[in-house]
Amino acid sequence: MHIPHRHKTALRTSPLALLAGLALTAALLTGLPSPDRPGAIALGSSRAVAAAANGPREMERLGRGVVAVRTGDSSVFVSWRLLALDPQGIGFNVYRSTAGGGYQKLNSAVLMAGTNYTDTTADPTETNTYRVRPVVNGTEQAASGAFALSADHATEPVVRIPLRAGAAIKYVWVGDLDGDGEYDYVVDRHSTQQSLEAYLSDGTFLWSMDLGPNSEDQDNIEGGSSAIDVGSVDGVTVYDLDGDGRSEVAVRIANGVTFGNGRTFTSSDDDHQFITVVDGMTGAERATSAVPDDYIADGPMHARFEVGYLNGRTPSLVAYMKNRVGDGNFNLMMTAWRFDGTTLSRQWKWLRGDQNAPDGHQSRIIDVDGDGKDEVVEIGFVLNGDGTLRYSLGEKGIVHGDRYYIAKMDPDRPGLQGYGIQQDNPSGLLEYYYDATDGTILWQHTSDTVTDVGRGLVGDIDPRHRGMEAWSFYGIHHAATNKLVEADTTKSPWPAIGLWWDGDRGMELLNSGRIEKWDFENPADSSSQPRLVSTWKYGAVGTGSPKNPAFFGDILGDWREEAVYPDADNDELIVFTTGTATEHRIYTLAQNPAYRNDMTVKGYLQSHELDYYLGRDMTTPPVPDIVYAD
C-alpha cells in the first residue's frame, strides 16, 4: 500500500499574494484589466462591480497540491495547482529528489502552459519525490510542499490513502483540518450505530465521533435524530467556518453522541436535535445550538448541509431540514448559521408551510444575480441570502425532481442558467431550461404521459456547438438554442455525473464506476461509450446501484477533478487523479466560489458547477473576488 508523504510548508500571507490582491483591487477601482488575468475584471462588467461591492470572500489558503502518478515504465505524471490569485505570467520549475537525495530541476525552460509535467527520466525502483517552485519575473519563489511516489509503485491513475479498518463508508468530505494548505478527509462509517472519522491527507488518523443510539434507525425518510447520510440527506459538512485557516466539521446531533475527545452530549429527550461545530483536529465540541422545534411534533428532521457566502464575505452554514407529517406530506425548514470561532448563531429561519416551493434531492448555493452574495437554490425555488423567497418555479408548473443544475451554460447570455428534470409532473413536463436570475422559463419538453425522468446532466460534450449541452433521455440538446445535437435520440451518454478528466476542457462522464467520453463523431447508446478508466480494476467500490464515488472534486494537482472511493475492506481511500497532460492553464476549481460551495453538499450526487463557462470554446475565466484566510 502506497502512503503519500507530504512535507509541510508554512502558509501565511506572502508578498506575492499581497501584491496580487492589491493589483486586483486597483483593477476594480480603475476599470482596467487585472494583471492577475488579462481583461478578467473591468468596471464595465456589472456582475463584477456588484460582486466587488460586497466582497472579497475569505476562502481557505491552498498550497500547490502537488501530486504524481506513474504512467509508464519510466514515466511519472506530475501536476499542481494554479491558484486563483497567482499573478499573470507566473511560471514553474519542477524538481525531483531520488531516494532521498538532493532536488534536481527537471525542466530546461520555465513552464508557462499547463501546470503539469511528464517526467520521463524517473527511476521507478527508487522513491521519487516531487515539488515545484513558482517563477515570477524571472525569480524563483519558495518551494511547494512535496509528494513522494514510493519505489516500485504500480502504474495507476490513483493515490491511495490508508484508513483504520472499520464499517462501510458512503461519503467522504474534504477540508484543510490542520492548516497546511492541503485537503484532509472526514469519512462516515455505517454499522448498527454510525460514526465519523477524520484523517490527514497522508492517512494519519485524528479522531472518531460516535453518533450514538439515535443513529441506529437509518430509514431514509423517518430515521433517528442523529442518523446521517441516508437517502438524499447528509447532516454533515466540512469547511473553515470561522476563517482561522483550519476547517471545522459541522454535524446535526442528538442525545447520546460522543465527540472525538470522548465527551458525551446529553439532552432531555431523543427527539430534540442540535447543530454542532467540532474541531477538525481533535473532534472536540466547539459550539452547539438547538435546531428550531417548529416541527418537533412530527419527529426528528433529516438534514442536508451546505456552505455559502450569504453576505458575500464570510461563510454561513445552511441547513435544509425535513420530516414527514402523519398524512405523508413533508415539513421543510431552511436555516442559516454563522460560526465566529466561539458561538454558533442562527441568522434566519424559513418555513415552507403552504407556499408552492418545490424541493428535490439536492441543494445548491450560488450567486444567481451577480451581486457577490450567494442565494440558496432548490430545484423549484430560490431564497435570498437573508432567507426571504426570491422566486418560486412552482408557480410555473415545476414540481419535485431528482436532478438540477445552475451554471454558465450559455456563454453569450447574461447571468447563469438552470436546467432541471421532473418526477411525475401531472402536466407531462419532462425537463426545462431557465434563467437562474429570475426564473424565466426559456424552453421545456413535455410528454403525453406522466414520467419520472430520474436523471439529467449538463456540460460541454460536443465541440460543434458553443456552450453546454443538456440532456436526460430525450436527446442531447444544445442548451442555448434547444436544438438537438444528435438526430438519433437513442444515442446519448448516460446522464450520471460530469467530470473533467482529460486535457481538452470538454467534460467527461463518471458513470457506474466508469470514466467515459462522448464521441460526437461516432455517437452510440449509453452502454457503448468510449471508456477511459474502469475504477473497479483498481479496487474501488462504489455506493449503491449507481456505484457512486464517496466524493469527487478538484482536490489535487491542476484543474482536473478527482473521484474518491473506498476499497472493499473499507481500510483505504482510492483517489483517482488524471495522468493525462494538458496545455490548458486554469486556476484550481476549488477556489471558484460556486464550485467550492458545491463541494460541501451531498444529496443525490450531482456535478459541481462553476460560475463561469468551462468548455472547449471558453475565454479566460475572471479572477474571483476572494482573499485567503490566515
Side-chain angles (χ1 to χ4, degrees):
M1 180 182 296
H2 167 60
I3 301 177
H5 178 64
R6 292 196 179 279
H7 302 277
K8 313 299 184 184
T9 55
L11 292 165
R12 310 299 292 177
T13 304
S14 68
L16 182 62
L18 289 173
L19 286 173
L22 289 172
L24 176 60
T25 301
L28 291 169
L29 293 175
T30 64
L32 295 174
S34 165
D36 287 341
R37 293 288 187 278
I41 296 181
L43 200 59
S45 166
S46 59
R47 187 177 181 91
V49 172
N54 289 297
R57 297 175 184 232
E58 187 175 64
M59 294 183 69
E60 61 204 343
R61 179 183 297 276
L62 294 177
R64 292 292 169 189
V66 177
V67 65
V69 293
R70 184 176 175 184
T71 54
D73 290 343
S74 60
S75 62
V76 174
F77 177 78
V78 185
S79 74
W80 58 93
R81 295 185 185 109
L82 180 71
L83 301 175
L85 299 185
D86 280 341
Q88 180 189 4
I90 190 172
F92 294 92
N93 289 327
V94 180
Y95 289 81
R96 183 189 69 212
S97 165
T98 302
Y103 279 95
Q104 302 294 320
K105 189 172 76 168
L106 299 179
N107 51 299
S108 58
V110 176
L111 302 174
M112 301 298 296
T115 54
N116 57 90
Y117 180 84
T118 299
D119 176 12
T120 59
T121 62
D123 180 355
T125 67
E126 301 285 358
T127 295
N128 291 287
T129 302
Y130 296 89
R131 68 186 188 187
V132 300
R133 284 181 178 270
V135 180
V136 179
N137 295 327
T139 302
E140 276 197 333
Q141 309 297 308
S144 70
F147 184 93
L149 194 66
S150 60
D152 299 312
H153 195 280
T155 301
E156 57 182 9
V158 303
V159 174
R160 297 180 183 272
I161 310 297
L163 305 177
R164 300 196 312 174
I169 295 169
K170 180 180 181 182
Y171 286 150
V172 171
W173 297 262
V174 300
D176 183 5
L177 302 180
D178 62 354
D180 73 342
E182 305 302 338
Y183 283 123
D184 306 303
Y185 303 95
V186 174
V187 306
D188 61 9
R189 298 284 192 177
H190 294 261
S191 187
T192 302
Q193 295 184 8
Q194 298 171 314
S195 62
L196 293 169
E197 295 176 351
Y199 296 84
L200 293 181
S201 60
D202 63 359
T204 300
F205 172 74
L206 296 177
W207 50 265
S208 177
M209 179 175 175
D210 183 356
L211 296 176
N214 284 309
S215 69
E216 293 179 7
D217 183 351
Q218 295 164 26
D219 183 79
N220 69 319
I221 300 295
E222 296 181 292
S225 52
S226 63
I228 61 169
D229 302 345
V230 293
S232 64
V233 295
D234 47 63
V236 182
T237 199
V238 178
Y239 202 80
D240 180 8
L241 294 169
D242 62 353
D244 68 350
R246 298 190 304 138
S247 288
E248 292 77 41
V249 183
V251 192
R252 193 265 285 110
I253 65 169
N255 186 45
V257 167
T258 301
F259 293 106
N261 62 350
R263 193 184 80 82
T264 299
F265 180 84
T266 59
S267 176
S268 59
D269 59 63
D270 289 338
D271 283 340
H272 279 84
Q273 296 168 296
F274 303 82
I275 295 176
T276 190
V277 175
V278 305
D279 188 278
M281 285 295 291
T282 68
E285 176 189 19
R286 293 188 60 186
T288 299
S289 290
V291 171
D293 60 1
D294 298 72
Y295 298 127
I296 190 69
D298 293 308
M301 304 191 80
H302 275 318
R304 190 159 63 228
F305 282 178
E306 54 190 329
V307 172
Y309 289 69
L310 306 183
N311 64 4
R313 300 181 305 277
T314 54
S316 295
L317 172 69
V318 175
Y320 162 107
M321 302 191 71
K322 198 171 183 181
N323 63 3
R324 173 171 272 172
V325 186
D327 62 5
N329 292 323
F330 288 91
N331 300 308
L332 176 60
M333 173 174 67
M334 309 281 288
T335 54
W337 306 80
R338 173 79 181 116
F339 176 60
D340 63 6
T342 303
T343 304
L344 181 65
S345 303
R346 193 175 83 231
Q347 296 170 281
W348 49 258
K349 174 180 68 176
W350 179 83
L351 304 178
R352 178 168 59 185
D354 58 2
Q355 299 176 83
N356 185 2
D359 64 313
H361 293 297
Q362 171 73 328
S363 298
R364 297 184 184 272
I365 298 185
I366 187 170
D367 177 11
V368 300
D369 60 358
D371 69 351
K373 297 184 290 186
D374 286 333
E375 283 74 44
V376 180
V377 183
E378 293 292 322
I379 194 169
F381 67 93
V382 176
L383 300 181
N384 292 308
D386 61 2
T388 58
L389 184 67
R390 181 179 180 86
Y391 65 79
S392 173
L393 295 176
E395 301 165 355
K396 301 177 181 181
I398 305 303
V399 300
H400 170 90
D402 286 358
R403 300 289 190 279
Y404 74 103
Y405 306 88
I406 306 294
K408 187 65 174 173
M409 302 177 200
D410 181 353
D412 300 318
R413 182 184 176 88
L416 303 176
Q417 294 77 49
Y419 166 80
I421 61 171
Q422 292 286 270
Q423 178 176 321
D424 298 331
N425 191 312
S427 72
L429 180 63
L430 302 170
E431 54 190 351
Y432 56 98
Y433 175 74
Y434 62 102
D435 188 312
T437 303
D438 59 10
T440 300
I441 302 294
L442 301 176
W443 57 254
Q444 58 187 18
H445 300 151
T446 59
S447 170
D448 292 335
T449 59
V450 175
T451 303
D452 180 359
V453 178
R455 297 288 187 275
L457 189 57
V458 298
D460 175 29
I461 63 170
D462 191 327
R464 298 171 297 180
H465 305 272
R466 178 166 163 77
M468 291 188 184
E469 284 69 51
W471 75 100
S472 56
F473 302 108
Y474 308 96
I476 305 172
H477 290 80
H478 179 227
T481 61
N482 191 26
K483 293 180 179 179
L484 282 171
V485 303
E486 168 52 48
D488 186 345
T489 58
T490 67
K491 293 181 177 180
S492 61
W494 187 264
I497 295 171
L499 192 78
W500 283 288
W501 180 263
D502 70 7
D504 66 4
R505 296 188 296 191
M507 190 182 76
E508 286 69 55
L509 304 146
L510 180 57
N511 173 27
S512 295
R514 303 182 297 268
I515 300 178
E516 302 173 333
K517 189 174 185 67
W518 166 250
D519 184 353
F520 67 95
E521 294 179 315
N522 300 286
D525 64 37
S526 61
S527 64
S528 304
Q529 298 302 311
R531 188 177 305 175
L532 306 180
V533 178
S534 299
T535 60
W536 59 86
K537 291 184 178 180
Y538 302 94
V541 176
T543 299
S545 58
K547 299 180 181 177
N548 278 333
F551 176 88
F552 63 93
D554 178 15
I555 59 173
L556 293 171
D558 63 22
W559 55 274
R560 273 81 64 80
E561 296 177 288
E562 282 67 45
V564 182
Y565 294 81
D567 67 353
D569 295 327
N570 291 289
D571 62 1
E572 182 180 70
L573 294 181
I574 303 173
V575 183
F576 287 84
T577 186
T578 190
T580 303
T582 182
E583 64 180 359
H584 300 298
R585 173 178 282 210
I586 300 172
Y587 75 82
T588 176
L589 307 189
Q591 286 185 330
N592 178 261
Y595 187 96
R596 187 62 183 92
N597 289 352
D598 268 359
M599 285 172 60
T600 65
V601 68
K602 299 299 185 184
Y604 284 177
L605 294 185
Q606 299 171 43
S607 305
H608 304 324
E609 301 297 343
L610 299 142
D611 55 23
Y612 67 84
Y613 169 64
L614 200 167
R616 292 177 180 87
D617 49 355
M618 68 184 291
T619 57
T620 302
V623 179
D625 186 22
I626 65 173
V627 294
Y628 300 145
D630 287 331

